[in-house]
């Protein structure tokens, strides 16, 4: 009923209290969205600037400034999300309806309406993030040295290079000791963030996170189970092979059966096993080159490492990064202050103030990491002409997948084109190359699941605070077949030793990215003409470097931002509307056959 038609009724009821209000119109909704986008853009730029300063200059003052900026941006997002519900009954044009949905589903943290609680939860978020950034292990053996404490970068290097079980256990315990002080604040953070989510109509924060995937939260959970079921047999084969090879090397540290200890896999979180490759590599599988040694022999600087990544994107037809990127990014760890060294990509003004923050070392791992981070930046710039609410990836897994898709093209053939090696190794070396890649990609898959599986159960109350650590290791055992190297209790808080937990960064995006990148790679390789008609080039040897056709297809998807459901974006690049792990199985098919042969007569599973 229109406004004019209500007047006589209201007039007649005035004496008894007429409170009926005119229904909002499509024009009202359009104005609301325009105002919301203007307001959110201004607040988010301010927030990005404050967060950049805080992560690069960690002090009590920058923490307070960052928390205040976070609070202003989050409070406004929550207010707008609540106000958007008044347009729920309107039939809106498709783009406006999607913007309304994104307003309501796009939050990572919903602050409670109570101003004191809102301030408290954002302060807790900044404090937990800062506590991780300042985390150090100060062993007694270094007490009287010039470098008495180890930060996460130091611990990472030791875990990657040491072959001494006692040393690995020591730094594992030392790093995991940074997180118990976070436990009380984290529990309070969960309580307050849940309150804010419920005020928006969600069951809890975990349900709010799952609601952003263009499908019902429960359906999304089932989709994850389906994808993991596709991948589990390959993971089991890899786990079995790695376990018996490590047992041969360390019979007293790694058992022949059951779960593997988390400190023996070359990574402080046991999420990436590539650093143990040399310990378990098959005979005669050495490809004849070591990318880390090549980079160091060439005296490759951090800036040059970044330039290689940029050059890949330029070879696909993308424009160079702006001059401000090189002026404002952080490439090396400062000597005079604490910074959050965890690699990250930034879009400060949501237009072209693109940056990365990485404490770069000239290693193969960082070479790949930089391709990954620049994938974020080129994605960010591709959608910068979209309306503000559409300036994001199709879903957060897409954002993580793009750089990793490019990294899959860091093949021996690509290294030849860079002049790093004279020729690509013979195909007989492919098992070694695939095993090395599987130690990165396949080993990660269950870890990519369990962090948010754990948090979703924490947010829902299924895991109460007095079971945080037990539930963490129960999930790691169930999915990964990994156990703590020493007894753990509820005095520990091992999830807090992983950046994304204290930083409140949803993690399921990384699991999705691990699936999507292989789908993207298979589709883009085909666009680039690989494998060529009649050739036997396997998928893992295909590189899209210098393919304008692949770049055009990639940009068509990137430029959509989040203007359409992710299923639409997936169809543009991969020709299907369903995430599918068969591309991973295709990529690693030769390795799976080989692993199963090696594992004959050996125990599989735990």
């Amino acid at each position: 009923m229109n406004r004019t038609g209500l007047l006589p009724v209201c007039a007649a009821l005035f004496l008894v209290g007429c409170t009926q209000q005119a229904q909002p119109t499509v024009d009202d909704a359009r104005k609301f969205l325009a105002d919301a986008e203007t307001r959110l853009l201004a607040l988010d730029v301010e927030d990005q600037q404050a967060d950049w300063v805080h992560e690069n200059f960690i002090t009590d003052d920058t923490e307070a400034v960052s928390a205040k900026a976070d609070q202003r941006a989050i409070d406004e997002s929550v207010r707008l999300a609540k106000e958007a519900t008044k347009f729920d009954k309107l039939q809106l044009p498709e783009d406006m309806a999607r913007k309304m949905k994104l307003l309501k589903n796009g939050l990572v943290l919903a602050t409670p309406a109570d101003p004191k609680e809102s301030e408290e939860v954002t302060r807790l978020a900044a404090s937990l993030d800062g506590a991780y950034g300042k985390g150090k292990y100060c062993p007694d053996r270094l007490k009287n040295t010039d470098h008495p404490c180890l930060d996460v970068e130091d611990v990472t290097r030791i875990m990657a290079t040491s072959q001494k079980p006692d040393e690995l256990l020591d730094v594992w315990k030392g790093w995991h000791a940074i997180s118990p002080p976070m436990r009380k604040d984290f529990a309070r953070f969960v309580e307050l963030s849940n309150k804010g989510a419920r005020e928006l109509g969600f069951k809890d924060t975990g349900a709010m996170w799952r609601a952003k995937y263009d499908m019902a939260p429960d359906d999304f959970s089932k989709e994850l189970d389906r994808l993991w079921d596709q991948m589990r047999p390959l993971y089991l084969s890899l786990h079995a092979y790695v376990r018996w090879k490590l047992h041969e090397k360390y019979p007293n540290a790694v058992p022949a059966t059951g779960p593997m200890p988390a400190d023996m896999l070359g990574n402080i979180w046991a999420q990436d096993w590539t650093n143990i490759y040399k310990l378990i590599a098959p005979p005669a599988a050495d490809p004849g080159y070591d990318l880390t040694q090549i980079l160091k022999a060439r005296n490759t600087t951090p800036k040059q490492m970044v330039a290689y990544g940029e050059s890949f994107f330029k070879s696909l037809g993308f424009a160079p990064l702006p001059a401000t990127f090189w002026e404002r990014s952080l490439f090396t760890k400062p000597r005079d202050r604490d910074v959050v060294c965890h690699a990250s990509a930034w879009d400060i003004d949501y237009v072209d103030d693109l940056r990365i923050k990485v404490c770069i070392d000239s290693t193969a791992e960082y070479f790949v990491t930089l391709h990954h981070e620049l994938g974020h930046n080129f994605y960010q710039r591709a959608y910068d002409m979209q309306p503000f609410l559409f300036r994001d990836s199709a879903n957060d897994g897409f954002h993580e997948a793009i750089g990793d898709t490019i990294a899959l093209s860091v093949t021996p053939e690509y290294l030849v084109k860079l002049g790093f090696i004279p020729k690509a190794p013979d195909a007989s070396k492919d098992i070694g190359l695939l095993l090395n890649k599987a130690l990165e990609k396949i080993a990660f898959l269950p870890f990519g699941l369990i962090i948010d599986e754990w948090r979703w159960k924490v947010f829902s109350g299924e895991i109460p605070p007095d079971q945080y650590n037990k539930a963490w290791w129960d999930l790691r055992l169930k999915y990964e077949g990994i156990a703590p190297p020493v007894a753990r209790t509820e005095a520990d808080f091992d999830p807090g030793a992983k950046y994304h937990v204290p930083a409140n960064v949803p993690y399921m995006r990384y699991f999705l990215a691990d699936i999507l990148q292989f789908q993207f790679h298979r589709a883009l390789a085909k666009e680039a003409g690989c494998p060529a008609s009649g050739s036997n080039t396997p998928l893992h040897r295909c590189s899209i470097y210098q393919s304008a056709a692949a770049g055009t297809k990639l940009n068509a998807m990137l430029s959509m931002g989040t203007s359409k459901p992710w299923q639409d974006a997936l169809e543009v690049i991969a020709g299907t509307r369903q995430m599918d792990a068969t591309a991973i199985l295709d990529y690693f098919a030769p390795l799976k056959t080989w692993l199963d042969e090696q594992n004959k007569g050996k125990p599989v599973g735990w």
Side-chain angles (χ1 to χ4, degrees), residues 1 6 9-10 13 17-23:
M1 186 180 296
L6 287 173
V9 179
C10 285
L13 296 177
C18 177
T19 60
Q20 188 169 4
Q21 296 180 351
Q23 293 298 310

Side-chain angles (χ1 to χ4, degrees), residues 351-480:
V351 183
D352 60 3
D353 189 355
L354 305 167
R355 309 178 192 179
I356 60 170
K357 178 178 58 60
V358 196
C359 302
I360 299 170
D361 191 8
S362 297
T363 66
E365 182 177 357
Y366 276 99
F367 192 78
V368 172
T369 294
L370 290 167
H371 283 76
H372 172 92
E373 295 304 332
L374 291 181
H376 288 299
N377 287 146
F378 280 94
Y379 203 162
Q380 288 158 346
R381 188 169 62 181
Y383 55 59
D384 67 11
M385 298 304 291
Q386 291 281 357
F388 176 70
L389 284 170
F390 293 158
R391 291 181 202 174
D392 203 347
S393 57
N395 70 37
D396 51 10
F398 276 63
H399 231 312
E400 299 300 331
I402 295 306
D404 282 347
T405 299
I406 300 303
L408 288 176
S409 283
V410 180
T411 61
E413 288 76 10
Y414 169 57
L415 299 180
V416 170
K417 291 181 178 179
L418 293 185
F420 284 9
I421 57 177
K423 66 177 183 177
D426 183 77
S428 63
K429 308 294 186 182
D430 281 4
I431 291 300
L433 292 170
L434 284 171
L435 177 60
N436 198 29
K437 184 67 70 175
L439 294 174
E440 175 194 358
K441 301 296 183 181
I442 306 306
F444 172 79
L445 280 163
F447 184 83
L449 271 177
I450 65 105
I451 289 188
D452 279 355
E453 288 279 356
W454 179 82
R455 276 192 292 197
W456 294 346
K457 292 176 187 293
V458 167
F459 286 132
S460 72
E462 183 178 341
I463 298 174
D466 63 356
Q467 294 179 26
Y468 277 172
N469 224 50
K470 178 182 182 300
W472 171 257
W473 286 108
D474 285 349
L475 284 170
R476 298 207 68 177
L477 177 63
K478 174 185 175 181
Y479 284 101
E480 297 179 277

Side-chain angles (χ1 to χ4, degrees), residues 11 36 53 63 95 97 131 152 160-161 195 197 295-296 314 318 361 401 425 427 431 472 503 545 558 579 591:
V53 172
E63 181 178 299
D95 63 327
V152 68
T161 58
K195 184 174 183 180
L295 292 167
K296 292 187 180 300
K314 290 194 295 185
F318 290 89
D361 191 8
I431 291 300
W472 171 257
Y545 182 60
L558 300 183
M579 289 184 284
L591 179 67

Side-chain angles (χ1 to χ4, degrees), residues 484-502:
V486 291
R488 312 303 281 169
T489 71
E490 292 306 320
D492 301 302
F493 183 51
D494 294 326
K498 176 63 179 172
Y499 167 78
H500 300 75
V501 174

